Amino acid sequence: MQTLTSLTAPLILSNGVKIPGLGYGTYQTPAKETYTAVSQALKVGYRHIDTASLYGNEEGVGKAVRDSGLAREDIFITSKLWNTDRGYDATMAAFEKTMERLGTDYLDLYLIHWPANRKQYGDKARELNAETWRAFEDLYEEGKIKAIGVSNLTPNHLEELIADSKIKPMVNQIEVHPGWPQMETIQYCQAHDILVEAWAPLGEAASLNNEIIVQIAAKYGHTPAQVCLRWGIQQGILPLPKTVHQGRMEENTKIFDFELTDAEMAIIGSLRNLGGQCKVPDQVDF
Ligand SMILES: NC(=O)c1ccc[n+]([C@@H]2O[C@H](COP(=O)([O-])OP(=O)(O)OC[C@H]3O[C@@H](n4cnc5c(N)ncnc54)[C@H](OP(=O)(O)O)[C@@H]3O)[C@@H](O)[C@H]2O)c1
């Protein structure tokens, strides 16, 4: 199992692409604040920015990257295809719009944001996911995207997608935090060489008041946020914490100077129902 060793040390995806450590999340960062927030994150040292067409802030991400003074190839940008753009042609069109908004001529990682599910699409869900993925494969083979992946897929969706495709997803970005450990999906992905990225790694801040996490943080002289992130990286997961505050951006990077014991990993992993969204992809209506 690969694990993160520093803010910028890379993990290696199944196609050999390097993905720099700890990502910086931008969900719910308002468009008008995104330029400043991402510019600060790049100054703090983040080199991996996670956005999505849904977030409405791709322009701010792209401008912050261009104005950073850093080489484009030194920054890893992820965006995601929203659910209303599924299918081959719609995916192609949505990708072009994302590229225009970001103002870049290639994307590092593009993800299917959520799988089409049977609740909404019945037997057509599998076909729709395969069609969307076929567009991803073509964009990848044309060199417009360095790596392709999915988000919010559970093993049942992954089994179908892998059976229906030429290229296996390189990443699955799922909600993982203390209280929502997603062990089954993590084990499946790691067995299939699919890197797991954790969204809401702090449980949208709701995991931070848990007494067990607070106690473990005090033992190491670290903060609850740092313990949540450390718990993720010790499982070989790449977390994507979001904050618009510079102090917290820095705090969230200081997770490489302590190590949780196996017992602490297990205790944190046994917590349930702490914060985040805890949505089951087969049950959502969007
Ligand atoms: N693929 C998907 O479906 C999906 C879904 C959701 C999110 N994501 C991605 O994952 C990223 C992270 O998820 P998230 O933003 O939902 O949740 P998160 O990172 O778990 O939590 C963000 C919240 O925690 C606060 N926070 C951050 N650092 C803190 C610290 N050190 N101490 C105290 N509070 C802190 C932030 O507040 P302030 O900003 O006010 O500091 C914000 O309210 C997103 O931004 C997005 O890029 C993906």
Side-chain angles (χ1 to χ4, degrees):
M1 180 178 77
Q2 308 179 76
T3 51
L4 286 175
T5 53
S6 80
L7 177 57
T8 52
L11 297 178
I12 312 293
L13 299 178
S14 60
N15 65 341
V17 162
K18 291 180 181 165
I19 182 166
L22 211 63
Y24 174 74
T26 63
Y27 177 49
Q28 300 188 75
T29 302
K32 61 180 180 349
E33 290 176 35
T34 302
Y35 176 78
T36 305
V38 174
S39 299
Q40 276 175 347
L42 292 170
K43 283 199 186 100
V44 165
Y46 291 86
R47 292 292 177 268
H48 172 173
I49 312 294
D50 184 83
T51 183
S53 85
L54 177 76
Y55 304 168
N57 58 19
E58 290 171 312
E59 283 99 340
V61 170
K63 184 164 164 45
V65 167
R66 285 194 302 283
D67 291 356
S68 67
L70 294 161
R72 170 68 185 85
E73 59 270 24
D74 290 337
I75 303 175
F76 191 98
I77 307 176
T78 300
S79 194
K80 312 185 192 84
L81 176 90
W82 186 237
N83 302 353
T84 46
D85 294 317
R86 293 179 182 126
Y88 188 91
D89 292 338
T91 296
M92 289 296 191
F95 174 74
E96 286 310 320
K97 285 191 189 140
T98 274
M99 298 295 278
E100 276 166 32
R101 287 190 292 263
L102 285 167
T104 181
D105 52 8
Y106 73 91
L107 196 58
D108 295 281
L109 176 64
Y110 198 37
L111 304 177
I112 295 181
H113 208 142
W114 287 84
N117 65 20
R118 283 196 168 70
K119 184 177 174 194
Q120 277 195 291
Y121 291 94
D123 289 342
K124 291 208 163 22
R126 177 172 182 162
E127 196 185 326
L128 186 52
N129 289 325
E131 277 300 289
T132 304
W133 188 249
R134 199 162 60 77
F136 273 56
E137 290 176 328
D138 285 354
L139 291 164
Y140 173 71
E141 285 181 337
E142 287 167 28
K144 294 181 174 171
I145 313 173
K146 302 285 181 201
I148 49 176
V150 292
S151 179
N152 298 303
L153 265 66
T154 47
N156 56 320
H157 311 119
L158 285 163
E159 283 286 332
E160 290 181 353
L161 193 68
I162 290 170
D164 294 343
S165 59
K166 281 188 296 188
I167 303 172
K168 201 172 59 172
M170 290 133 204
V171 168
N172 188 16
Q173 183 182 120
I174 56 174
E175 180 178 1
V176 183
H177 50 80
W180 193 245
Q182 297 246 47
M183 286 314 301
E184 194 198 339
T185 301
I186 293 169
Q187 280 163 6
Y188 179 94
C189 289
Q190 292 182 340
H192 289 80
D193 201 11
I194 298 169
L195 178 74
V196 175
E197 295 183 346
W199 66 257
L202 310 175
E204 296 183 335
S207 302
L208 306 180
N209 298 324
N210 177 267
E211 208 173 304
I212 289 171
I213 293 174
V214 169
Q215 278 172 11
I216 293 173
K219 172 184 158 190
Y220 289 104
H222 278 69
T223 66
Q226 290 165 336
V227 168
C228 291
L229 298 171
R230 183 74 211 175
W231 175 78
I233 65 172
Q234 281 186 220
Q235 298 175 70
I237 292 171
L238 192 157
L240 303 163
K242 171 264 173 186
T243 174
V244 293
H245 296 102
Q246 190 169 338
R248 288 176 174 174
M249 290 177 198
E250 287 165 4
E251 173 187 334
N252 294 346
T253 67
K254 294 182 179 146
I255 57 173
F256 301 102
D257 59 350
F258 72 111
E259 187 165 352
L260 300 170
T261 64
D262 290 347
E264 288 162 346
M265 289 295 292
I267 289 168
I268 297 172
S270 70
L271 298 172
R272 291 293 179 273
N273 303 319
L274 289 183
Q277 299 179 7
C278 305
K279 287 194 165 78
V280 177
D282 278 323
Q283 290 167 14
V284 301
D285 294 309
F286 51 84

